[in-house]
Amino acid sequence: AQTVTQSQPEMSVQEAETVTLSCTYDTSESDYYLFWYKQPPSRQMILVIRQEAYKQQNATENRFSVNFQKAAKSFSLKISDSQLGDAAMYFCAYTGTASKLTFGTGTRLQVTL
Amino acid sequence: DGGITQSPKYLFRKEGQNVTLSCEQNLNHDAMYWYRQDPGQGLRLIYYSQIVNDFQKGDIAEGYSVSREKKESFPLTVTSAQKNPTAFYLCASSPRGGAPNTEAFFGQGTRLTVV
C-alpha cells in the first residue's frame, strides 16, 4: 500500500523569506503523480503543483517549486518570497495506477510579518 | 461552469440516524472520492470509485456506504454504525480511473454534526 508522510506538523516563515515543506512517500509503482495541495481557512482544496514520476525535471509554478528525488522517494515543496496569503495547511498527495489518491497528514504554514 | 458540488454545506443529525451526503460533478470524470477530515487532521479516504457501478473501500470505510449508479454522482451515506461521525467531509473527482491522474478537483465540503 502506498503511504505519504509529512513529518512537519507546523512550520513558520517570515514574509518574503523562503520555506521548504517535506514529504516522503512509499510505493512500488513506477507510474504515478505527486501533488501539493493548499487548504486555506475556507477549507477549499487548491492544487499548488504536480509532478509526474517519469519526468526528471522538477516542477515549478511561479513562487512554488518542488525537489523531486525519485530514488529517495522524497517530494519537498519550496515556497519563495512567502506572502501572507500563503498561510494555510499544505498536503502532499500521491496517485498511482489504481487511481487511489492518498494524502499526508499536512503541514500548517504560518507566515509572519 | 464545470465543477463538483457538495450539498448540503452544513448538516445536523441525531444519533442513530442515517444521513446521505450528496456529491455531483459535471466534469465527465471517471474517478470519484470521499474523504473525512477531523480538526487539525489530514484527509482520510473513505471510499473511491474508478468507474460507474464499481467502488472500493478506502482506509476508514466502516460505518459508511456509497453508490455509483451514475457517472456524475457519488453519494455517501453515514450510517448509525459510524461511532464518531462528526467531521468535515470532502468529495473529489479526477479524470481517469485505473490510472494515475493529473489532478483531483474538490467540492466545498459538508460539515456534519451529530447532535
Side-chain angles (χ1 to χ4, degrees):
Chain A
Q2 291 79 26
T3 59
V4 178
T5 302
Q6 294 179 250
S7 59
Q8 305 157 315
E10 290 191 15
M11 293 285 284
S12 183
V13 63
Q14 282 192 323
E15 200 176 16
E17 297 297 311
T18 296
V19 65
T20 299
L21 308 184
S22 300
C23 173
T24 59
Y25 61 96
D26 188 24
T27 184
S28 58
E29 296 179 315
S30 58
D31 186 15
Y32 54 87
Y33 277 85
L34 296 162
F35 309 92
W36 279 97
Y37 279 88
K38 171 185 177 181
Q39 188 181 45
S42 68
R43 307 194 83 164
Q44 177 67 51
M45 296 289 284
I46 301 165
L47 178 67
V48 174
I49 198 165
R50 63 170 163 255
Q51 175 78 43
E52 299 167 67
Y54 64 86
K55 287 190 176 180
Q56 292 186 338
Q57 187 174 5
N58 289 326
T60 61
E61 287 288 342
N62 301 314
R63 298 182 295 108
F64 298 88
S65 62
V66 299
N67 183 4
F68 174 48
Q69 301 289 328
K70 190 172 184 179
K73 295 180 182 173
S74 171
F75 183 61
S76 61
L77 174 70
K78 185 171 81 171
I79 306 174
S80 304
D81 186 25
S82 296
Q83 301 175 359
L84 293 177
D86 294 333
M89 283 289 288
Y90 285 83
F91 293 99
C92 180
Y94 169 102
T95 184
T97 53
S99 301
K100 185 179 178 182
L101 183 58
T102 302
F103 284 84
T105 52
T107 296
R108 182 173 300 282
L109 179 65
Q110 293 183 324
V111 181
T112 60
L113 294 171
Chain B
D1 284 354
I4 182 165
T5 303
Q6 289 185 244
S7 61
K9 190 173 182 179
Y10 299 97
L11 189 56
F12 296 87
R13 187 196 94 175
K14 291 184 178 180
E15 281 194 36
Q17 288 182 338
N18 292 356
V19 65
T20 297
L21 283 59
S22 171
C23 179
E24 304 276 335
Q25 54 97 359
N26 61 5
L27 301 166
N28 199 34
H29 285 175
D30 286 327
M32 297 188 74
Y33 312 83
W34 273 107
Y35 293 91
R36 170 180 172 140
Q37 187 176 26
D38 293 287
Q41 302 294 313
L43 279 67
R44 292 186 291 169
L45 183 63
I46 305 172
Y47 270 97
Y48 65 109
S49 168
Q50 299 182 53
I51 197 169
V52 175
N53 293 321
D54 187 39
F55 48 82
Q56 290 78 40
K57 292 183 178 180
D59 302 316
I60 56 165
E62 185 176 353
Y64 300 96
S65 66
V66 293
S67 63
R68 186 86 188 276
E69 297 176 359
K70 297 186 295 182
K71 188 175 186 177
E72 59 269 24
S73 178
F74 191 42
L76 173 74
T77 297
V78 184
T79 74
S80 57
Q82 170 50 236
K83 299 304 179 188
N84 186 20
T86 294
F88 185 68
Y89 291 86
L90 277 165
C91 180
S93 70
S94 57
R96 299 182 294 170
N101 275 284
T102 56
E103 182 177 350
F105 295 78
F106 284 82
Q108 301 272 25
T110 294
R111 173 69 184 176
L112 173 64
T113 303
V114 174
V115 297

